[in-house]
Amino acid sequence: MGKGRWQFWQGADAFLWRFVGALTLFRLIYIALIPITPQEAYYWLYAQFPALGYFDHPPMTAYSILLGTTFFGDSVFGVKLMGVLWSAATMILLYFTILNAFRWSLPLGKTKARDAALWGLILYNLTSFAHI
């Protein structure tokens, strides 16, 4: 790939896609098996009445749940689906952010920058923030 708009994809390797794909598949299976939580039910209620904002939350959560329930109905899977997809997108963006930060700010080679990005991705998924 030459220099251009999609050049950032060049830094990705097979481990990234396998790791993100495996975690996303696991999370999709997991959300199909667990019940809905009170907080998710509260957000689902927001999604029933789309607005530009809510008293105590911005609207993106409601929009995401509305999108999931549009395709999968008012089911637990529909309510939780977009959380899993946003998580996969976050992992990919985090990988490229760390990769580019190490490439541009520190005089490390490509391999060390890639390793740092992969370790950052693994460590992120070990935090409580990255749970489903």
Side-chain angles (χ1 to χ4, degrees):
M1 232 184 227
K3 292 192 187 267
R5 188 171 169 185
W6 302 106
Q7 185 177 7
F8 68 93
W9 288 106
Q10 287 180 340
D13 63 338
F15 178 80
L16 167 70
W17 303 116
R18 285 194 301 262
F19 184 74
V20 172
L23 275 177
T24 301
L25 180 63
F26 170 76
R27 288 175 175 161
L28 287 171
I29 294 167
Y30 183 70
I31 65 170
L33 302 174
I34 62 172
I36 195 165
T37 65
Q39 184 177 6
E40 290 165 333
Y42 181 57
Y43 293 149
W44 172 81
L45 186 61
Y46 276 2
Q48 302 308 301
F49 306 99
L52 293 176
Y54 300 94
F55 175 70
D56 58 350
H57 286 83
M60 193 62 187
T61 302
Y63 296 159
S64 294
I65 291 174
L66 181 63
L67 184 61
T69 56
T70 298
F71 290 110
F72 291 96
D74 288 330
S75 64
V76 174
F77 189 81
V79 171
K80 294 176 180 266
L81 173 67
M82 291 307 294
V84 172
L85 298 181
W86 284 121
S87 177
T90 300
M91 286 188 285
I92 292 167
L93 289 174
L94 177 67
Y95 173 85
F96 286 113
T97 300
I98 296 171
L99 183 70
N100 288 322
F102 272 86
R103 279 187 183 168
W104 293 336
S105 65
L106 298 173
L108 298 176
K110 267 186 171 178
T111 304
K112 289 196 183 252
R114 183 185 60 86
D115 291 348
L118 293 174
W119 276 109
L121 190 62
I122 291 168
L123 291 174
Y124 167 75
N125 280 284
L126 293 174
T127 66
S128 60
F129 181 76
H131 76 288
I132 295 178

